[in-house]
Amino acid sequence: MSDLDQFIAAFDVDDPAFIADPYPTLDALREATPIFWNEATGQWMLTRFNDVSAALKNRALGRDYTHRYTHEELGRSEPDQKWTKFHEHERWSLLCLEPPDHTRLRRLVSKVFTPSSIARLADPIAAISDELLDQCADAGTFDLLADYAQPYSVAVICSMLGVPRADTQLLLGWSHAIVKMYELSASDEVKQSADKAAGEYIDYTRALIADKRARPDGLLLSELVQVEDGGATLTEDEIISTTMVLVEAGHEATVNTLGNGFRALMAHRDQWDRVVQHDVTPASTVEELLRFDPPLQMFERWVLEADTEIAGQRVRVGDEIAMLFGAAQRDPRRFDKPAKFDVGRDDPGHIGFGGGIHFCIGAPLARQELIRSVEGIVSRFPDLRLVDEPTYHPTFVIRGLTGLTVATG
């Protein structure tokens, strides 16, 4: 067996050791080859930063293929009808669409999801953060995820959308169940839970839309109901998919960036001290949290055009390209000493928010949430320390901790 074959074999998303620290394997794969065929997943996998960045912008690739080909034409199975509610929730997701639907939908969403609307959230974000950090201070020892990051993230999104804060736990549970469907080895039990959650979430959102039509409040969901551009409006199904993906993607990204990032800060006390002593800005710190141990480890695209070449490899229409963000974000061709956790790197040119037409529409909001969290936690708890060594969820695509117990002194 060649070295490359051994590295590919080590890419085992069901191996607890790989999940605990995938970076040695990802590093070995990246240095061995820019692209490889993974027989286990049936995908071409990209490992290097420039190739991943180029693939994100390559219009010969797409997040979907059904706007150009049938499943039969590409030799692929129809979507499993057992999971109809999950597929319904994804049908109009910005993450899954291609032009012209993506162009139309993103333009309409962008008319209400504006820099000014996000700027208006600064005070509510600060208030939610302060409220939760007050509770953490009173406790002395707390779980940074369960007691702060999770309720903080979902409360911010709900305040933006106009979702009652009393319902945040409902949305949190649905989101956790649904996103597990994106893993490479999701079991039928996981898929069943995801489909059930998607159905309940769709019903909830449909009822909420009806309420916003009757009683508009000027918040994002209400604005999505009313938005118009050249006579074009959003359908109810499009609004449902849009609001659901904003909650799911925004919540999971913020929570896992804070969890993975503060784990790194606690493990690198010299870097923690730099933040505490204001040698680096919270904004610079956040960019390194997004790069070093990213919450999204893999993003896929389909080959849509013949005669396409990716990283020197000729690929066929219907092939799936999996971009390994964790490998790319530690590519020494792009980042100096990439294995070093350096909060002063101050490099926003990573791919933590994707790229191309699918660049995360919520990136400005996520950055604002994360910066406020770093500011608040560091100023209140300069002697923060880890109580227990945390463990990661047994998932690869979405990488996050099961908890992060810390003490304030």
Side-chain angles (χ1 to χ4, degrees), residues 131-377:
E131 174 192 332
L132 291 166
L133 290 176
D134 283 344
Q135 296 171 12
C136 292
D138 290 341
T141 298
F142 60 95
D143 184 337
L144 185 67
L145 298 186
D147 297 325
Y148 176 76
Q150 291 178 355
Y152 167 69
S153 159
V154 75
V156 168
I157 296 172
C158 287
S159 70
M160 175 189 70
L161 288 169
V163 174
R165 190 165 176 185
D167 294 343
T168 56
Q169 285 302 313
L170 279 175
L171 271 64
L172 194 59
W174 289 328
S175 175
H176 284 334
I178 290 169
V179 298
K180 290 177 182 175
M181 185 69 111
Y182 299 109
E183 295 299 325
L184 290 171
S185 57
S187 66
D188 274 5
E189 182 180 2
V190 165
K191 292 177 180 178
Q192 186 174 19
S193 295
D195 194 67
K196 180 176 183 293
E200 292 172 356
Y201 199 172
I202 288 169
D203 291 343
Y204 173 89
T205 308
R206 201 178 298 280
L208 194 60
I209 289 170
D211 181 67
K212 299 300 181 184
R213 291 191 195 281
R215 288 175 289 277
D217 56 16
L219 296 173
L220 182 61
L221 182 53
S222 181
E223 292 297 293
L224 288 173
V225 169
Q226 301 177 54
V227 69
E228 182 177 350
D229 182 56
T233 58
L234 292 167
T235 67
E236 186 169 279
D237 287 344
E238 289 169 346
I239 297 170
I240 288 171
S241 285
T242 298
T243 55
M244 289 174 77
V245 77
L246 284 173
V247 172
E248 292 162 22
H251 164 73
E252 296 293 336
T254 299
V255 170
N256 292 326
T257 297
L258 287 173
N260 301 356
F262 271 83
R263 175 185 183 270
L265 284 166
M266 294 296 94
H268 299 82
R269 299 304 298 191
D270 60 327
Q271 299 301 305
W272 172 254
D273 291 341
R274 294 176 72 191
V275 185
V276 170
Q277 294 163 13
H278 305 294
D279 291 341
V280 297
T281 65
S284 172
T285 302
V286 163
E287 300 306 329
E288 185 67 348
L289 303 191
L290 288 161
R291 182 200 73 86
F292 184 73
D293 191 11
L296 181 63
Q297 288 283 320
M298 192 177 85
F299 200 57
E300 298 114 328
R301 272 174 165 67
W302 300 97
V303 178
L304 301 178
E305 296 181 7
D307 300 320
T308 297
E309 189 174 287
I310 305 292
Q313 172 68 50
R314 183 77 65 174
V315 291
R316 300 172 302 173
V317 170
D319 282 352
E320 191 173 23
I321 308 296
M323 295 164 280
L324 298 178
F325 281 19
Q329 298 277 52
R330 296 195 181 195
D331 188 345
R333 299 159 190 80
R334 170 60 180 80
F335 300 99
D336 182 44
K337 298 179 181 177
K340 177 179 171 58
F341 180 60
D342 178 6
V343 293
R345 194 181 296 273
D346 200 16
D347 186 349
H350 53 75
I351 49 172
F353 291 116
I357 67 168
H358 290 288
F359 181 81
C360 177
I361 197 171
L365 175 63
R367 282 190 165 106
Q368 187 167 304
E369 289 182 68
L370 294 166
I371 289 169
R372 176 63 193 185
S373 294
V374 171
E375 290 173 340
I377 294 170

